[in-house]
Amino acid sequence: MFKKFAVLFYSIFVLNLVSAQHGEATTGDAPAQELSEKDKVTKENKEFIDHHLLDAHDFTLMVDKDGHHIGFPLPVIFYDNGFHSFMSNKEGFMHGEPTEVDGAYYVLHHEKIYKTDEKGTITLDKDHHPTQEKVLDLSITKSVLVIIFVAVFMFVLFVGMAKSYKKSAVPTGAARFLEPLVIFVRDEIALPNIGHKYKRFMGYLLTVFFFILFLNVLGLMPFGINVTGNITMTFFLAILTYLITTFSANKDYWKHIFWMPGVPVPMKFIMLPIELLGTITKPFALMIRLFANMTAGHIVVMTLIGSIYIFKNWIAGVAFPFLTLVIYLLEVLVAFLQAYIFTMLSALFIGMAVEEHEHEHHAAH
């Protein structure tokens, strides 16, 4: 629902703005000049939103009034007839200019590295995709840096938490805040959905819960950190749940997929492909749900902020900051909610795979 609202809001906003601009542009030279300025601001806002959502080969902390990016470079590593590396602040690279590396030229186009000529030529096909060869990019991008940071942070945090319990059973320091969340994952997510076998999967469930939670919270910072809004990231998180579910599944689980008991034989052949498809749609739903909700929230917040600079009147100056604050507070809730939902659904899918149907059947008799 939140995704639909965001996409609908963004689409209607842009379409109405463009229609108004085209309609008023025909009324005279003076309005055309004003609308031209609005077009420029609208384009800048759209580019800023796109830049905020996309991964990047540098880490931008802020942009000054002259449009200069203030931040620090990151290592660019790629493979093309051998491994090549340099820092992203190499002259012209971040501005899409051709960069010479070991006698060959490469250009950064929409945060993807393409092999090109000395002039940096980029030709597009009918779908506006570059026809140049794309290299295997292994760079430490902004998202990768944040993932490494969160991984190290979690390791230090929870190792310290574990050591504190050796000294005292009473939680101290960060453990006082984290212990209720750990107990919540155990008692409200793992136990109800997996049952008595929950201990085998607690490590994964706690890791994925806090990992998504910390990434979501960092995504609320004004630094363009949008890791969970990157579908590649949510894809691999969903794949982990799929692999754990698949390799932990017992014979009852596979029996209910390939030869469902209690169903007429003709229906078994009909249900088989449906059940097999269901094993794929479950992780797909995990991937899309997290990606869509986090991306939608960023689009709505950034669009509301951009609207202040487009309309430039006292109504916009009061209404849009208030709406931005409301949506931002909602995003704080969504950050926790999406971590909970992903973990809960992962536990549910794992629980379905390890459930002992035969045992329950005999216990009932």
Side-chain angles (χ1 to χ4, degrees):
M1 179 63 69
F2 193 63
K3 174 196 172 186
K4 292 180 180 178
F5 166 77
V7 175
L8 181 62
F9 175 88
Y10 187 69
S11 301
I12 293 175
F13 173 81
V14 174
L15 286 174
N16 286 344
L17 185 61
V18 172
S19 298
Q21 291 170 349
H22 281 286
E24 293 179 25
T26 59
T27 59
D29 294 334
Q33 181 65 31
E34 179 186 353
L35 292 174
S36 177
E37 181 65 24
K38 285 187 177 181
D39 280 336
K40 182 179 178 181
V41 175
T42 304
K43 182 180 178 181
E44 289 176 353
N45 287 338
K46 183 180 182 304
E47 290 175 351
F48 187 80
I49 293 173
D50 291 341
H51 177 76
H52 178 84
L53 295 175
L54 291 175
D55 198 1
H57 286 77
D58 66 337
F59 202 109
T60 301
L61 298 174
M62 63 181 69
V63 181
D64 63 20
K65 61 180 182 180
D66 297 323
H68 298 132
H69 291 234
I70 302 173
F72 54 88
L74 295 172
V76 177
I77 307 168
F78 62 89
Y79 182 85
D80 180 54
N81 295 324
F83 287 97
H84 309 279
S85 64
F86 55 89
M87 297 302 291
S88 61
N89 61 348
K90 189 171 184 177
E91 185 178 359
F93 178 75
M94 291 305 301
H95 298 287
E97 298 174 6
T99 302
E100 183 180 3
V101 181
D102 297 331
Y105 290 89
Y106 303 90
V107 67
L108 185 67
H109 181 75
H110 293 304
E111 296 301 335
K112 292 181 174 59
I113 304 174
Y114 295 91
K115 194 171 185 178
T116 183
D117 55 22
E118 187 176 357
K119 297 179 180 179
T121 305
I122 290 290
T123 56
L124 305 178
D125 59 19
K126 61 180 181 179
D127 297 319
H128 301 285
H129 297 148
T131 58
Q132 274 72 22
E133 177 186 356
K134 185 166 65 173
V135 303
L136 178 60
D137 192 358
L138 304 172
S139 303
I140 306 296
T141 61
K142 179 171 61 178
S143 293
V144 174
L145 180 67
V146 173
I147 290 170
I148 294 174
F149 169 77
V150 170
V152 173
F153 174 74
M154 287 178 58
F155 179 81
V156 173
L157 185 66
F158 287 104
V159 167
M161 181 178 173
K163 288 181 178 179
S164 70
Y165 282 105
K166 293 181 180 180
K167 301 177 182 179
S168 172
V170 179
T172 58
R176 289 181 295 179
F177 301 97
L178 295 175
E179 186 183 86
L181 290 176
V182 173
I183 295 174
F184 172 78
V185 173
R186 183 193 68 185
D187 295 347
E188 303 298 330
I189 297 178
L191 267 171
N193 292 292
I194 300 178
H196 67 280
K197 295 183 178 181
Y198 78 95
K199 290 184 179 180
R200 288 175 54 195
F201 308 100
M202 274 298 292
Y204 172 70
L205 294 178
L206 286 172
T207 301
V208 76
F209 175 80
F210 284 104
F211 185 68
I212 294 175
L213 176 60
F214 290 151
L215 286 177
N216 286 350
V217 172
L218 284 175
L220 298 175
M221 305 298 174
F223 303 137
I225 301 172
N226 186 38
V227 179
T228 47
N230 187 321
I231 198 166
T232 304
M233 185 66 214
T234 60
F235 169 78
F236 279 103
L237 287 174
I239 284 294
L240 285 176
T241 296
Y242 173 76
L243 292 176
I244 292 173
T245 302
T246 301
F247 288 104
S248 300
N250 57 30
K251 62 180 181 180
D252 291 327
Y253 175 78
W254 295 115
K255 183 178 180 180
H256 277 72
I257 290 177
F258 288 101
W259 204 250
M260 188 174 292
V263 175
V265 174
M267 287 298 298
K268 292 179 186 287
F269 292 102
I270 298 175
M271 294 299 296
L272 173 58
I274 297 175
E275 291 294 327
L276 281 175
L277 182 63
T279 62
I280 299 174
T281 57
K282 290 172 185 175
F284 180 79
L286 281 177
M287 175 186 71
I288 295 298
R289 181 185 295 274
L290 180 58
F291 160 75
N293 280 278
M294 300 315 299
T295 301
H298 284 269
I299 290 176
V300 171
V301 171
M302 299 303 293
T303 302
L304 288 173
I305 294 174
S307 302
I308 301 171
Y309 300 94
I310 292 175
F311 293 101
K312 293 182 180 179
N313 55 53
W314 69 270
I315 298 177
V318 174
F320 288 119
F322 175 75
L323 289 173
T324 301
L325 177 62
V326 172
I327 297 298
Y328 190 84
L329 293 176
L330 180 61
E331 276 295 286
V332 176
L333 173 63
V334 170
F336 285 86
L337 187 61
Q338 288 305 313
Y340 164 74
I341 291 176
F342 192 100
T343 309
M344 187 271 292
L345 290 178
S346 295
L348 177 63
F349 299 154
I350 293 171
M352 293 169 62
V354 301
E355 183 182 4
E356 296 177 353
H357 300 277
E358 294 294 336
H359 174 73
E360 292 179 358
H361 176 73
H362 291 303
H365 288 281

Coordinates of all heavy atoms in Angstrom, one line a residue, residues 2 5-6 8-14 17 41-42 45-46 48-49 52 295-313 315-331:
F2 N 1.9 1.2 0.8 CA 2.8 2.4 0.9 C 3.5 2.6 -0.4 O 3.7 3.7 -0.9 CB 3.8 2.2 2.0 CG 4.6 3.4 2.4 CD1 3.9 4.5 2.9 CD2 5.9 3.5 2.2 CE1 4.6 5.7 3.2 CE2 6.6 4.6 2.6 CZ 5.9 5.7 3.1
F5 N 1.1 4.2 -2.9 CA 0.9 5.6 -2.6 C 2.1 6.4 -3.1 O 1.9 7.5 -3.7 CB 0.8 5.8 -1.0 CG 0.9 7.2 -0.6 CD1 -0.2 8.1 -0.7 CD2 2.1 7.6 0.0 CE1 0.0 9.4 -0.3 CE2 2.2 8.9 0.4 CZ 1.2 9.8 0.2
A6 N 3.3 5.9 -2.8 CA 4.5 6.7 -3.2 C 4.5 6.9 -4.7 O 4.8 8.0 -5.3 CB 5.7 6.0 -2.7
L8 N 2.1 6.5 -6.9 CA 1.0 7.3 -7.4 C 1.3 8.8 -7.1 O 1.1 9.7 -8.0 CB -0.3 6.9 -6.7 CG -1.6 7.6 -7.1 CD1 -1.8 7.4 -8.6 CD2 -2.7 7.1 -6.3
F9 N 1.7 9.1 -5.9 CA 2.0 10.5 -5.6 C 3.1 11.1 -6.5 O 2.9 12.2 -7.0 CB 2.5 10.5 -4.1 CG 2.9 11.9 -3.7 CD1 2.0 12.8 -3.1 CD2 4.2 12.3 -3.8 CE1 2.4 14.0 -2.7 CE2 4.7 13.5 -3.3 CZ 3.7 14.4 -2.8
Y10 N 4.1 10.4 -6.7 CA 5.3 10.9 -7.5 C 4.8 11.1 -9.0 O 5.1 12.1 -9.6 CB 6.4 9.9 -7.4 CG 7.7 10.4 -8.1 CD1 8.4 11.5 -7.6 CD2 8.2 9.8 -9.2 CE1 9.6 11.9 -8.2 CE2 9.3 10.2 -9.8 CZ 10.0 11.3 -9.3 OH 11.2 11.7 -9.9
S11 N 4.1 10.1 -9.5 CA 3.6 10.2 -10.9 C 2.7 11.3 -11.1 O 2.8 12.1 -12.1 CB 2.9 8.9 -11.3 OG 3.8 7.8 -11.1
I12 N 1.7 11.5 -10.2 CA 0.7 12.6 -10.4 C 1.4 13.9 -10.2 O 1.1 14.9 -10.9 CB -0.4 12.4 -9.3 CG1 -1.3 11.2 -9.6 CG2 -1.3 13.6 -9.3 CD1 -2.3 10.9 -8.6
F13 N 2.3 14.0 -9.2 CA 3.0 15.3 -9.0 C 3.8 15.7 -10.3 O 3.7 16.8 -10.7 CB 4.0 15.1 -7.8 CG 4.9 16.2 -7.6 CD1 4.4 17.4 -6.9 CD2 6.2 16.2 -8.1 CE1 5.2 18.4 -6.7 CE2 7.0 17.3 -7.9 CZ 6.6 18.4 -7.2
V14 N 4.6 14.8 -10.8 CA 5.4 15.1 -12.0 C 4.5 15.4 -13.2 O 4.7 16.4 -13.9 CB 6.3 14.0 -12.3 CG1 7.1 14.2 -13.6 CG2 7.4 13.8 -11.2
L17 N 2.7 18.8 -12.9 CA 3.7 19.9 -13.0 C 4.1 20.1 -14.4 O 4.1 21.2 -14.9 CB 4.9 19.5 -12.1 CG 6.0 20.6 -12.0 CD1 5.4 21.9 -11.4 CD2 7.2 20.1 -11.2
V41 N 14.6 23.8 -12.1 CA 14.5 23.3 -10.8 C 14.0 21.9 -10.7 O 14.4 21.1 -9.9 CB 13.7 24.3 -9.9 CG1 13.6 23.8 -8.5 CG2 14.4 25.7 -9.9
T42 N 12.9 21.7 -11.4 CA 12.3 20.3 -11.5 C 13.3 19.3 -11.9 O 13.4 18.2 -11.3 CB 11.0 20.3 -12.4 OG1 10.1 21.3 -12.0 CG2 10.4 19.0 -12.3
N45 N 15.8 18.7 -9.2 CA 15.2 17.9 -8.1 C 15.2 16.4 -8.5 O 15.5 15.5 -7.7 CB 13.8 18.4 -7.7 CG 13.9 19.7 -7.0 OD1 14.9 20.0 -6.4 ND2 12.8 20.5 -7.0
K46 N 14.7 16.1 -9.7 CA 14.7 14.8 -10.2 C 16.0 14.1 -10.2 O 16.2 12.9 -9.8 CB 14.0 14.7 -11.6 CG 13.8 13.3 -12.1 CD 13.2 13.2 -13.5 CE 13.0 11.8 -13.9 NZ 14.2 11.0 -13.9
F48 N 18.5 14.9 -8.4 CA 19.0 14.8 -7.0 C 18.3 13.6 -6.3 O 19.0 12.8 -5.6 CB 18.6 16.0 -6.2 CG 19.2 16.0 -4.8 CD1 20.5 16.4 -4.6 CD2 18.4 15.7 -3.7 CE1 21.0 16.4 -3.3 CE2 18.9 15.7 -2.4 CZ 20.2 16.0 -2.2
I49 N 17.0 13.3 -6.6 CA 16.3 12.2 -6.1 C 17.0 10.9 -6.7 O 17.2 9.9 -6.0 CB 14.8 12.2 -6.4 CG1 14.2 13.4 -5.7 CG2 14.1 10.9 -6.1 CD1 12.7 13.6 -6.0
H52 N 20.2 10.3 -5.0 CA 20.0 9.8 -3.7 C 19.7 8.3 -3.6 O 20.1 7.6 -2.7 CB 18.9 10.6 -3.0 CG 18.6 10.2 -1.6 ND1 19.2 10.7 -0.5 CD2 17.6 9.4 -1.1 CE1 18.7 10.1 0.6 NE2 17.7 9.3 0.2
T295 N 12.3 2.2 -0.9 CA 12.5 3.2 -2.0 C 11.3 4.2 -2.0 O 11.5 5.4 -2.3 CB 12.5 2.4 -3.3 OG1 13.6 1.5 -3.3 CG2 12.7 3.3 -4.5
A296 N 10.1 3.7 -1.8 CA 8.9 4.6 -1.9 C 9.0 5.7 -0.8 O 8.7 6.8 -1.1 CB 7.7 3.7 -1.7
G297 N 9.5 5.3 0.4 CA 9.6 6.3 1.4 C 10.6 7.4 1.1 O 10.3 8.6 1.3
H298 N 11.7 7.0 0.5 CA 12.7 8.0 0.1 C 12.2 8.9 -1.0 O 12.5 10.1 -1.0 CB 14.0 7.2 -0.4 CG 14.8 6.7 0.7 ND1 15.9 7.3 1.3 CD2 14.8 5.5 1.3 CE1 16.4 6.6 2.2 NE2 15.8 5.4 2.2
I299 N 11.5 8.3 -1.9 CA 10.9 9.1 -3.1 C 9.9 10.2 -2.5 O 10.0 11.4 -2.9 CB 10.2 8.2 -4.1 CG1 11.3 7.4 -4.9 CG2 9.4 9.1 -5.1 CD1 10.7 6.4 -5.8
V300 N 9.1 9.8 -1.6 CA 8.1 10.7 -1.1 C 8.7 11.8 -0.3 O 8.4 13.0 -0.5 CB 7.1 9.9 -0.2 CG1 6.1 10.9 0.6 CG2 6.2 9.0 -1.0
V301 N 9.7 11.5 0.6 CA 10.3 12.5 1.4 C 11.1 13.5 0.5 O 11.0 14.7 0.7 CB 11.3 11.8 2.4 CG1 12.2 12.9 3.1 CG2 10.5 11.1 3.5
M302 N 11.9 13.0 -0.5 CA 12.7 13.8 -1.3 C 11.8 14.7 -2.2 O 12.1 15.8 -2.5 CB 13.7 13.0 -2.2 CG 14.6 12.2 -1.3 SD 15.6 13.2 -0.2 CE 16.6 14.1 -1.4
T303 N 10.7 14.1 -2.7 CA 9.8 14.9 -3.5 C 9.1 16.0 -2.8 O 9.0 17.2 -3.3 CB 8.7 14.0 -4.1 OG1 9.3 12.9 -4.8 CG2 7.7 14.7 -5.0
L304 N 8.7 15.8 -1.5 CA 8.1 16.8 -0.7 C 9.2 18.0 -0.4 O 8.8 19.1 -0.5 CB 7.6 16.3 0.6 CG 6.4 15.4 0.5 CD1 6.1 14.7 1.9 CD2 5.2 16.2 0.1
I305 N 10.4 17.6 -0.2 CA 11.4 18.6 0.1 C 11.7 19.4 -1.2 O 11.8 20.6 -1.2 CB 12.7 17.9 0.5 CG1 12.5 17.3 1.9 CG2 13.9 18.9 0.6 CD1 13.7 16.5 2.4
G306 N 11.7 18.7 -2.4 CA 11.9 19.4 -3.6 C 10.8 20.3 -4.0 O 11.0 21.3 -4.7
S307 N 9.6 20.0 -3.5 CA 8.4 20.8 -3.9 C 8.6 22.2 -3.3 O 8.0 23.2 -3.8 CB 7.2 20.2 -3.3 OG 7.0 18.9 -3.9
I308 N 9.3 22.4 -2.2 CA 9.5 23.7 -1.6 C 10.2 24.6 -2.5 O 9.8 25.8 -2.7 CB 10.3 23.6 -0.3 CG1 9.6 22.6 0.7 CG2 10.5 24.9 0.4 CD1 10.4 22.3 2.0
Y309 N 11.2 24.1 -3.2 CA 12.0 24.9 -4.2 C 11.3 25.1 -5.5 O 11.7 26.0 -6.3 CB 13.4 24.3 -4.4 CG 14.1 24.1 -3.1 CD1 14.1 22.9 -2.3 CD2 14.9 25.1 -2.6 CE1 14.8 22.8 -1.1 CE2 15.6 25.0 -1.4 CZ 15.5 23.9 -0.7 OH 16.2 23.7 0.5
I310 N 10.3 24.3 -5.8 CA 9.6 24.4 -7.1 C 8.5 25.5 -7.0 O 8.4 26.4 -7.8 CB 9.0 23.1 -7.5 CG1 10.1 22.1 -7.9 CG2 8.1 23.3 -8.7 CD1 9.6 20.7 -8.2
F311 N 7.7 25.5 -5.9 CA 6.6 26.4 -5.8 C 7.0 27.7 -5.2 O 6.4 28.8 -5.6 CB 5.5 25.7 -5.0 CG 4.9 24.6 -5.7 CD1 5.2 23.3 -5.3 CD2 4.0 24.7 -6.7 CE1 4.7 22.2 -6.0 CE2 3.4 23.6 -7.3 CZ 3.7 22.4 -7.0
K312 N 7.9 27.8 -4.3 CA 8.5 29.0 -3.8 C 7.4 30.0 -3.3 O 7.4 31.1 -3.8 CB 9.4 29.7 -4.8 CG 10.7 28.9 -5.1 CD 11.5 29.6 -6.2 CE 12.8 28.9 -6.5 NZ 13.6 29.6 -7.5
N313 N 6.6 29.6 -2.4 CA 5.6 30.5 -1.8 C 5.4 30.1 -0.4 O 5.9 29.1 0.1 CB 4.3 30.5 -2.6 CG 3.6 29.2 -2.7 OD1 3.5 28.4 -1.7 ND2 3.3 28.8 -3.9
I315 N 2.8 29.2 1.3 CA 2.0 28.0 1.5 C 2.9 26.7 1.4 O 2.9 25.8 2.3 CB 0.9 27.9 0.5 CG1 -0.1 29.1 0.7 CG2 0.1 26.5 0.7 CD1 -1.2 29.1 -0.3
A316 N 3.7 26.7 0.4 CA 4.6 25.5 0.2 C 5.7 25.5 1.3 O 6.1 24.4 1.8 CB 5.3 25.6 -1.2
G317 N 6.1 26.7 1.8 CA 7.1 26.8 2.8 C 6.6 26.3 4.1 O 7.4 25.9 5.0
V318 N 5.3 26.3 4.3 CA 4.7 25.8 5.6 C 4.2 24.3 5.4 O 4.5 23.5 6.3 CB 3.6 26.7 6.1 CG1 2.9 26.1 7.3 CG2 4.1 28.1 6.4
A319 N 3.5 24.1 4.3 CA 2.8 22.8 4.2 C 3.8 21.7 3.9 O 3.7 20.6 4.6 CB 1.8 22.9 3.0
F320 N 4.7 21.9 3.0 CA 5.6 20.8 2.6 C 6.6 20.4 3.7 O 6.9 19.2 3.9 CB 6.4 21.1 1.3 CG 5.5 21.0 0.1 CD1 5.3 22.1 -0.7 CD2 4.8 19.9 -0.2 CE1 4.4 22.1 -1.8 CE2 4.0 19.8 -1.3 CZ 3.8 20.9 -2.1
P321 N 7.2 21.3 4.5 CA 8.0 20.9 5.6 C 7.2 20.1 6.7 O 7.7 19.1 7.2 CB 8.5 22.2 6.2 CG 8.5 23.1 5.1 CD 7.3 22.8 4.2
F322 N 6.0 20.5 6.9 CA 5.1 19.7 7.8 C 4.9 18.3 7.3 O 5.0 17.3 8.1 CB 3.8 20.5 8.1 CG 2.8 19.7 8.9 CD1 3.0 19.6 10.3 CD2 1.7 19.1 8.4 CE1 2.1 18.9 11.1 CE2 0.9 18.4 9.2 CZ 1.1 18.3 10.5
L323 N 4.5 18.2 6.0 CA 4.2 16.9 5.5 C 5.5 16.1 5.5 O 5.5 14.8 5.7 CB 3.7 17.1 4.0 CG 2.3 17.6 3.9 CD1 1.9 17.8 2.4 CD2 1.3 16.6 4.5
T324 N 6.6 16.7 5.2 CA 7.9 16.0 5.2 C 8.2 15.4 6.6 O 8.6 14.2 6.7 CB 9.1 16.9 4.8 OG1 8.8 17.4 3.5 CG2 10.4 16.2 4.8
L325 N 7.9 16.2 7.6 CA 8.2 15.7 9.0 C 7.3 14.5 9.3 O 7.7 13.6 9.9 CB 7.9 16.9 10.0 CG 8.0 16.5 11.5 CD1 9.4 16.0 11.8 CD2 7.6 17.7 12.3
V326 N 6.0 14.6 8.9 CA 5.1 13.5 9.2 C 5.5 12.2 8.5 O 5.6 11.1 9.1 CB 3.6 13.9 8.7 CG1 2.7 12.7 8.8 CG2 3.1 15.1 9.5
I327 N 5.9 12.3 7.2 CA 6.3 11.2 6.4 C 7.6 10.6 7.0 O 7.9 9.4 7.0 CB 6.5 11.5 4.9 CG1 5.1 11.9 4.3 CG2 7.0 10.3 4.2 CD1 4.1 10.8 4.4
Y328 N 8.5 11.6 7.4 CA 9.8 11.1 8.0 C 9.6 10.3 9.3 O 10.3 9.3 9.5 CB 10.7 12.4 8.2 CG 12.1 12.0 8.6 CD1 13.0 11.8 7.6 CD2 12.5 11.9 9.9 CE1 14.4 11.5 7.9 CE2 13.8 11.6 10.2 CZ 14.7 11.4 9.2 OH 16.0 11.1 9.5
L329 N 8.7 10.8 10.1 CA 8.4 10.1 11.3 C 7.8 8.7 11.0 O 8.0 7.7 11.7 CB 7.4 10.9 12.2 CG 8.0 12.2 12.8 CD1 6.9 12.9 13.6 CD2 9.2 11.8 13.7
L330 N 7.0 8.7 10.0 CA 6.4 7.4 9.5 C 7.5 6.5 9.0 O 7.5 5.3 9.2 CB 5.4 7.6 8.4 CG 4.7 6.4 7.8 CD1 3.9 5.7 8.9 CD2 3.8 6.8 6.6
E331 N 8.5 7.1 8.4 CA 9.7 6.3 7.9 C 10.5 5.6 9.0 O 11.0 4.5 8.9 CB 10.6 7.1 7.1 CG 10.2 7.3 5.6 CD 10.3 6.0 4.9 OE1 11.4 5.5 4.5 OE2 9.2 5.4 4.6

